[in-house]
Amino acid sequence: MVYTVVFEHVMNYSACKREQRTGRLSMMVFLLALLFSSHYSGLLCANELDAGLAKCSGINDPKERLECFDALARRTSEQPLPQDISCQQSEEITKEMPEPQTGLSIIAKQWDLDKSRPRNALRVRLYRQNYFLPYTYNATPNKSEALDMDSNARAQNTEAEFQLSLKMKVWQDLFGKDVDIWFAYTQHSFWQVYNTAFSAPFRETNYEPELFLTFRTDYPFLGLRGRLINIGLNHQSNGRSEPLSRSWNRIVATAGFERGGLNVFLKAWYRLSESSQEDDNPDISRYMGYGELQGIYYWHRHRFGATVRNNLHMHDNKGAFQLDWALPLTFIKMEQFSGYIQYFNGYGESLLDYNRSNNRIGFGFMLTDW
């Protein structure tokens, strides 16, 4: 029974397309340990060995699967059981063995949620999408605002768009609890690169720093798994002078859920009031709403996303939705680099256009590994 299982796992392993030299050496060591164990009654019982093999073979990640087989081989050769131990006792020992890592979920990797692995503060990580769209077409551009100081400059339908978004954990395990403090920064730019008549200016750039608490959670919710809750302060502005200045401050709360390849983020915010003399956009909540729902689905190397935002007003309903598709590029051997198609329709794509409805599609590249 033992050798049949071993043979099946070895054959399955050898069929993998990406078999590495280290993998072959690890399997050879493992087989030698098994052959050696057949001549000594003081080694692992068949039931324990079968259980260990089953655990290792169930791991999807090749690297982690090899590590599991290596650990089992070392246990077989270096830590023999007493000769008089029973199979029932060995099964109890097997149950006490820690379950192998089957790979972290996307949210766990992005937010450093797994306490069983090294967790690092003061490390720059990815936050939202990082992308570059060299070509976007807006069927309804905002032509009511000047591009810059030149009162005659107006936006074209075509332009480039890109976003840079990073975060860093500045304090982890706050007061010994499952709470971390994060700082994040997002910069979203719209570049009239094809508008050479007016020196190809940047039409709009939004700057968005954030500081928030992340509560690491794990609870069931409507068939999903609640993994985190973020609560913090958000400032967003375009850094321009009047009359093009736009800005607002919010308290934002986000709940993150997952199930398999599906991630769901529910976000709500409350705008902090400003004096009428300092408020550049007093009606921004009417167009940007009070929250958004985002769903992301990972399928092989594809990433599909949908984001919906709404003001929840029955008689003056305004909102927006965005669709995303990041797809692998077979001619580029970089997993961190993929094709990207983005479609946006509605209000609030940028602060300058918060009260203007845009209908845009863009083509380009996702610069991060989702």
Side-chain angles (χ1 to χ4, degrees), residues 272-329:
L272 300 177
S273 61
E274 303 178 40
S275 64
S276 57
Q277 293 82 7
E278 298 178 355
D279 196 345
D280 304 318
N281 30 248
D283 59 345
I284 191 171
S285 295
R286 174 188 173 192
Y287 297 91
M288 297 288 286
Y290 305 94
E292 68 181 27
L293 176 65
Q294 181 184 41
I296 304 172
Y297 185 71
Y298 303 88
W299 181 72
H300 296 288
R301 289 185 59 195
H302 294 260
R303 172 190 178 274
F304 304 94
T307 304
V308 179
R309 186 169 61 239
N310 197 272
N311 64 6
L312 304 179
H313 293 173
M314 294 295 295
H315 302 292
D316 186 27
N317 189 266
K318 299 182 185 300
F321 69 91
Q322 178 174 307
L323 302 177
D324 307 271
W325 179 23
L327 62 157
L329 300 176

Side-chain angles (χ1 to χ4, degrees), residues 104-119:
L104 298 179
S105 68
I106 298 293
I107 292 183
K109 291 178 181 178
Q110 290 178 339
W111 292 95
D112 201 13
L113 301 180
D114 187 9
K115 294 190 293 184
S116 66
R117 298 192 177 198
R119 302 176 62 246

Side-chain angles (χ1 to χ4, degrees), residues 8 26 28-29 35 61 90 102 114 120 133 136 145 230 250 255 280:
E8 290 177 353
S26 299
M28 290 175 62
V29 172
L35 293 175
D61 186 84
S90 69
T102 57
D114 187 9
N120 302 312
L133 302 176
T136 71
E145 300 283 3
N230 290 341
R250 295 173 289 170
D280 304 318

Side-chain angles (χ1 to χ4, degrees), residues 158-262:
T158 57
E159 63 183 0
E161 176 187 345
F162 62 88
Q163 178 170 283
L164 171 67
S165 186
L166 304 170
K167 67 177 183 286
M168 182 175 67
K169 189 197 312 176
V170 296
W171 193 349
Q172 67 182 22
D173 299 328
L174 185 64
F175 303 124
K177 305 297 183 180
D178 291 337
V179 182
D180 304 321
I181 298 180
W182 292 82
F183 172 79
Y185 175 77
T186 302
Q187 180 172 317
H188 190 187
S189 297
F190 301 84
W191 183 14
Q192 289 273 301
V193 64
Y194 308 107
N195 196 347
T196 55
F198 296 101
S199 301
F202 277 82
R203 179 178 62 84
E204 172 78 336
T205 296
N206 294 161
Y207 310 92
E208 189 173 357
E210 302 176 71
L211 183 67
F212 48 85
L213 294 172
T214 295
F215 297 85
R216 305 192 300 273
T217 62
D218 192 354
Y219 61 92
F221 179 78
L222 300 179
L224 302 172
R225 183 183 176 195
R227 299 309 315 276
L228 61 84
I229 296 176
N230 290 341
I231 300 177
L233 297 174
N234 176 290
H235 170 76
Q236 188 179 29
S237 67
N238 63 356
R240 305 176 77 171
S241 58
E242 295 291 351
L244 303 179
S245 174
R246 303 286 185 272
S247 67
W248 62 333
N249 299 299
R250 295 173 289 170
I251 297 176
V252 180
T254 304
F257 307 89
E258 67 180 1
R259 180 176 180 178
L262 175 65

